[in-house]
Amino acid sequence: MKNFIELLRNEWNSYSKNTQIALYVLFGLSALFVIFAIQILFWGLGYTDMNNNFAMGLWIIGDLGLVALGGGAFFTGFLLYILRVDKLNPLINSTVLLGFMCYLFTFILLVFDIGQPLRAWFGYAYPNWGPGLLPISMLTEVVWCLTLYFCVLCVELIPIPLKHKIMDNIPFFRYFGHYLHKLMWIMAAVGTFLSFFHQGSLGGGMWGVLYGKPVWFRPHYFFLAIVAATAGGTAFMMLIPKIAGKIMKKEVAPKETFMTLARISGVMFVFYLIFRLYDLYSLTVKYVPLADRSYADILGGYYGWWVVIAELLLCLVPIVVFNVAKLREREKYYMAGLIAGVSAISMSKVEAVLHGFSVPNFPWKGFTVYNPTIQEWFIFLGSLAIMTLVYMWFARYLPLFPHLHKGGHGDNKAHT
Amino acid sequence: MSGQEAPKKKVSDMKRLWGMSIDLDKCTGCGACQVACSQENNMPIFEDDSDLPKRVVFLDLMKVTNEMDKGAKFGDVKVAYLPKMCMQCAGNDPDNPYPPCVSVCPVVATDIGDDGVVSQIWSRCIGCRYCQASCPYEARVFHWWKPVYEGSFKEGLNPDVSVSSRGAVVKCTFCSHIWKRERDRMIAKGITDINAVQYTPSCVSSCPTGAMKFGDLKDPRSPVYEEKLRRDPRAVRLVHSIDELRDTNPAEYDRRMKIKQFPNPKVWYLTGSEWLRKKLSVFEKS
Ligand code: SF4
Ligand code: SF4
């Protein structure tokens, strides 16, 4: 025991002052997450001070954002294993881990959002599938697809710890990891298939089918969410390793890898912007008027036009940066592109939820103001903190970035 | 198995389609309907019932005014009270004849019966609030707190209605438990034709001015015969001006009725006040 404490102390002292401060903050947020999680799960959602005016919490924005950004995992896996873009290989472990955590926390946040967490299994026991293969409720589809895809991500994740040096002494695990790795293209194919559906259903389909609500209803929303995930997800899969590299002061993957993915992301952002513009146009001229409303009037209150305009402007940054070689190669612009890209897609989810709930349903009512409660904030921020801690742990102790361990440019200063 | 073939299609004997009309010119806003509804359906009473956005009621008495309108100054301000419950939407898409809330429920906790009543099984609901998000009439409420029935209140609980637990979504079901009770009573008398059974929801029977009427929308003898309501110039349904198109622009009306975007509620409001009719159905467009 004494040795163990000594070991921990040495480990702690080996971190720089800044890292220690960051760890304090992250541990603090995680502790608050646990406290509020116990409160909500044991005593119920009433204690969050949420109400019927704005029935779904901040965590639903988190949920949609995490799934869209985690969607980069399926798209990168698809590019690497199915389309054979081998240059992406150095990033794949980090991608799988990010995808795994995004989906895990999507689940966790969904459990927080339901009023009866002990009945969560009803989604499997009494699914609203209807007579055919197509599910009636998009949420049923989300539950099943997320579960299956999460299993796929688990299989994809296992080989990473099995590649650790400690495992070298146990041949079984090495071979096991090796064979799992061989199966990866099948997993990538299955994952792409499943992910395609739940990206669409959670990100857009769930809202697009609400035909009584002019702010949400449009049949193509399902597909818009998929394109959003391919664009924002890839940006997210670059942003996190980039930040990790900056903190570790190492080049975690070759520049070529980042540039290849950036080019793809840039093209996807172009598709996304065109699709989104069409989306806004069709809402204005077709879908919102069906409900006797005008789109301009729906975008009022606190979350009016500025949310949509901010999203579109943010979208322009990765489009310009990633598609122009000169800009892409410059570190500062590149980082700006990544941050703007991730923010743009997050903003689109903020837009969906905030507008959806704040728009008045009756002509004699005003817009609802949304004020997330303390529990919503800390469950949301705590989730991000735990994800960051897990990622940091993987980056430090496991072969998350094979490029570093190959002795490539591992010891070089990152990014000139 | 007995060897007998099961019938291929479920054939329903149900001929009823329950609906309601509320005459706002008669409504005084007394709130008797709301109290009767809460009592009938075992609505809990919370410490702070002024916490409106968290309150659990099936029937909300909404105050409608023209105060927010431009030009409505002192003297011009008009007020009406609107008893608003679940509109028991029928939906109007032939491929998806569901109310907005039913098709979204992941666990089939809510469904529409062939009598037109949209049910809600409280013990099946996981409280995801997806149906609440989809309801354009804010008719569904979430049970945020554990229901508490103080002192002798427990003795007044209605044994026909289960007590909902915290964490589930609840809503009005046109007091369908009364209908079931009436059916049982008829069967006990030897009458097995369910179409012979009529009933009155609690809010309707408690209304002192007779503003609320309830009955079968398909029955010409019923006080809420749908064809008659459609032709009534005082009739209006919430939030949609689609009914007005029926006479002014029949082609557009037919087109709109065929598309999915109309929940088609089975509750009609009646009023002769032009401002109120407009207020109920039309959003001001800029
Ligand atoms: S009013 Fe709302 S809860 Fe009632 S049937 Fe219509 S959509 Fe469903
Ligand atoms: S809140 Fe209950 S009834 Fe509504 S969709 Fe969720 S499970 Fe179904």
Side-chain angles (χ1 to χ4, degrees):
Chain A
M1 189 66 192
K2 219 170 156 196
N3 284 349
F4 182 68
I5 293 172
E6 194 61 29
L7 195 82
L8 283 183
R9 187 172 298 148
N10 288 341
E11 187 71 24
W12 182 253
N13 290 337
S14 69
Y15 296 129
S16 69
K17 198 92 209 136
N18 285 347
T19 315
Q20 283 181 357
I21 294 171
L23 283 174
Y24 276 130
V25 174
L26 292 173
F27 281 130
L29 285 173
S30 312
L32 285 167
F33 172 89
V34 174
I35 291 168
F36 288 124
I38 291 172
Q39 187 196 27
I40 291 171
L41 296 178
F42 281 74
W43 287 283
L45 274 172
Y47 287 90
T48 59
D49 258 342
M50 290 161 69
N51 62 47
N52 286 318
N53 280 349
F54 215 106
M56 290 187 183
L58 180 66
W59 38 61
I60 289 299
I61 301 180
D63 239 25
L64 300 184
L66 286 180
V67 158
L69 298 176
F74 97 84
F75 192 56
T76 315
F78 173 73
L79 291 169
L80 175 67
Y81 294 114
I82 312 290
L83 297 188
R84 295 268 166 218
V85 185
D86 287 333
K87 279 186 189 141
L88 300 181
N89 207 14
L91 272 187
I92 198 69
N93 286 355
S94 151
T95 300
V96 168
L97 176 63
L98 286 173
F100 174 83
M101 287 195 299
C102 285
Y103 284 94
L104 176 65
F105 275 90
T106 299
F107 258 128
I108 292 174
L109 292 177
L110 273 181
V111 172
F112 280 116
D113 196 58
I114 60 178
Q116 290 279 350
L118 289 179
R119 294 182 194 161
W121 58 277
F122 282 15
Y124 307 102
Y126 316 112
N128 190 0
W129 274 109
L133 255 186
L134 285 174
I136 292 184
S137 169
M138 279 284 162
L139 197 50
T140 299
E141 204 254 8
V142 167
V143 167
W144 279 88
C145 265
L146 267 184
T147 310
L148 295 174
Y149 185 54
F150 186 67
C151 296
V152 169
L153 276 169
C154 288
V155 177
E156 289 188 22
L157 189 73
I158 291 169
I160 301 177
L162 291 186
K163 272 195 219 125
H164 193 275
K165 276 199 285 300
I166 298 178
M167 295 296 168
D168 286 354
N169 303 330
I170 313 166
F172 170 76
F173 286 128
R174 262 189 46 203
Y175 289 127
F176 184 61
H178 181 72
Y179 282 109
L180 276 185
H181 205 80
K182 292 231 152 178
L183 285 179
M184 249 357 121
W185 70 272
I186 301 178
M187 289 296 140
V190 175
T192 304
F193 176 75
L194 291 169
S195 192
F196 179 84
F197 286 107
H198 76 246
Q199 277 307 329
S201 43
L202 183 60
M206 245 183 92
W207 315 97
V209 297
L210 304 182
Y211 71 86
K213 291 292 186 84
V215 68
W216 277 321
F217 174 69
R218 64 268 215 186
H220 56 256
Y221 208 12
F222 182 97
F223 302 100
L224 183 64
I226 296 170
V227 180
T230 55
T234 40
F236 185 63
M237 294 303 155
M238 292 183 277
L239 179 66
I240 301 299
K242 263 282 169 211
I243 294 174
K246 283 204 182 292
I247 292 171
M248 297 196 295
K249 298 200 171 55
K250 287 175 184 165
E251 192 183 61
V252 293
K255 192 165 183 179
E256 233 190 341
T257 304
F258 282 113
M259 290 303 118
T260 311
L261 203 52
R263 278 208 306 273
I264 296 168
S265 185
V267 175
M268 295 322 295
F269 265 107
V270 174
F271 280 128
Y272 176 72
L273 186 65
I274 295 171
F275 202 168
R276 180 76 170 119
L277 289 174
Y278 163 76
D279 176 53
L280 292 173
Y281 169 77
S282 66
L283 275 174
T284 313
V285 302
K286 189 167 173 197
Y287 298 113
V288 180
L290 279 179
D292 270 352
R293 313 272 293 260
S294 101
Y295 190 56
D297 294 338
I298 280 178
L299 298 188
Y302 286 90
Y303 326 106
W305 280 101
W306 72 265
V307 183
V308 176
I309 291 171
E311 181 203 331
L312 297 179
L313 289 179
L314 283 168
C315 247
L316 288 177
V317 182
I319 289 179
V320 174
V321 171
F322 294 164
N323 289 310
V324 178
K326 246 196 224 153
L327 296 176
R328 186 169 65 217
E329 307 271 329
R330 302 256 313 259
E331 187 64 18
K332 266 191 197 139
Y333 289 121
Y334 179 63
M335 281 306 279
L338 292 180
I339 294 169
V342 170
S343 314
I345 300 305
S346 309
M347 203 61 164
S348 71
K349 306 299 170 188
V350 169
E351 190 270 333
V353 179
L354 279 190
H355 281 161
F357 283 105
S358 71
V359 171
N361 291 312
F362 298 109
W364 57 89
K365 281 185 110 180
F367 283 86
T368 308
V369 181
Y370 178 47
N371 200 357
T373 65
I374 190 163
Q375 286 90 346
E376 289 171 68
W377 275 117
F378 283 116
I379 292 287
F380 174 63
L381 294 176
S383 305
L384 298 184
I386 296 173
M387 286 166 72
T388 314
L389 284 171
V390 174
Y391 193 85
M392 284 167 84
W393 188 81
F394 261 77
R396 188 167 166 105
Y397 298 107
L398 292 177
L400 191 61
F401 300 110
H403 180 70
L404 282 182
H405 298 269
K406 272 184 197 144
H409 309 286
D411 296 329
N412 292 352
K413 278 247 176 223
H415 330 296
T416 45
Chain B
M1 297 294 283
S2 62
Q4 274 182 346
E5 256 195 44
K8 286 217 171 65
K9 226 168 108 193
K10 190 182 150 217
V11 181
S12 166
D13 290 334
M14 178 49 56
K15 294 201 185 75
R16 300 273 183 218
L17 190 70
W18 301 116
M20 194 182 282
S21 76
I22 304 172
D23 193 332
L24 297 178
D25 297 343
K26 283 190 191 163
C27 173
T28 59
C30 69
C33 51
Q34 191 174 22
V35 175
C37 171
S38 292
Q39 188 72 22
E40 178 74 31
N41 289 293
N42 295 340
M43 287 298 99
I45 293 167
F46 295 111
E47 223 165 83
D48 181 8
D49 252 5
S50 65
D51 187 2
L52 295 189
K54 259 187 156 164
R55 200 179 51 172
V56 184
V57 286
F58 289 178
L59 194 156
D60 203 0
L61 199 62
M62 293 181 121
K63 183 179 167 194
V64 184
T65 82
N66 62 346
E67 250 172 319
M68 269 158 47
D69 296 351
K70 284 175 222 105
K73 301 236 168 57
F74 177 72
D76 296 334
V77 176
K78 295 183 178 104
V79 176
Y81 286 91
L82 183 83
K84 187 217 52 145
M85 67 293 284
C86 169
M87 299 281 117
Q88 309 290 346
C89 310
N92 74 334
D93 181 348
D95 299 327
N96 182 26
Y98 290 115
C101 57
V102 166
S103 56
V104 300
C105 177
V107 295
V108 209
T110 180
D111 204 355
I112 183 163
D114 46 9
D115 56 349
V117 173
V118 179
S119 60
Q120 173 73 9
I121 309 171
W122 302 349
S123 52
R124 169 70 80 84
C125 170
I126 60 172
C128 66
R129 308 194 289 295
Y130 191 17
C131 55
Q132 198 179 3
S134 79
C135 171
Y137 303 109
E138 297 180 6
R140 289 174 170 257
V141 285
F142 186 65
H143 233 163
W144 297 97
W145 300 112
K146 183 173 176 227
V148 180
Y149 300 96
E150 291 290 338
S152 60
F153 245 96
K154 267 196 196 126
E155 286 155 32
L157 289 183
N158 181 354
D160 288 342
V161 178
S162 55
V163 172
S164 159
S165 54
R166 138 200 121 194
V169 159
V170 291
K171 73 163 196 79
C172 146
T173 57
F174 270 173
C175 286
S176 56
H177 58 278
I178 299 184
W179 188 51
K180 284 175 198 131
R181 197 168 62 210
E182 291 304 310
R183 268 178 3 205
D184 290 351
R185 197 172 290 168
M186 289 296 223
I187 289 168
K189 282 188 198 159
I191 302 167
T192 52
D193 175 13
I194 50 174
N195 290 305
V197 187
Q198 296 267 10
Y199 83 106
T200 313
S202 172
C203 53
V204 177
S205 47
S206 72
C207 179
T209 62
M212 298 172 108
K213 298 261 186 309
F214 182 79
D216 182 357
L217 291 170
K218 292 197 291 192
D219 182 357
R221 290 161 304 170
S222 147
V224 292
Y225 182 44
E226 193 163 21
E227 281 308 306
K228 218 170 110 207
L229 282 172
R230 279 190 197 286
R231 261 182 278 279
D232 189 337
R234 294 168 68 236
V236 64
R237 285 187 283 180
L238 284 189
V239 187
H240 262 273
S241 60
I242 192 167
D243 291 318
E244 282 174 16
L245 293 171
R246 194 177 147 98
D247 299 320
T248 56
N249 189 349
E252 177 63 11
Y253 175 80
D254 283 345
R255 190 183 79 84
R256 291 252 209 124
M257 279 305 277
K258 283 196 199 98
I259 41 184
K260 208 176 169 178
Q261 185 71 5
F262 181 51
N264 211 355
K266 291 200 278 292
V267 176
W268 295 71
Y269 291 91
L270 304 169
T271 173
S273 309
E274 200 45 45
W275 79 270
L276 186 55
R277 289 170 49 74
K278 230 172 137 209
K279 195 89 201 160
L280 295 185
S281 60
V282 183
F283 274 87
E284 296 265 307
K285 285 182 201 162
S286 59

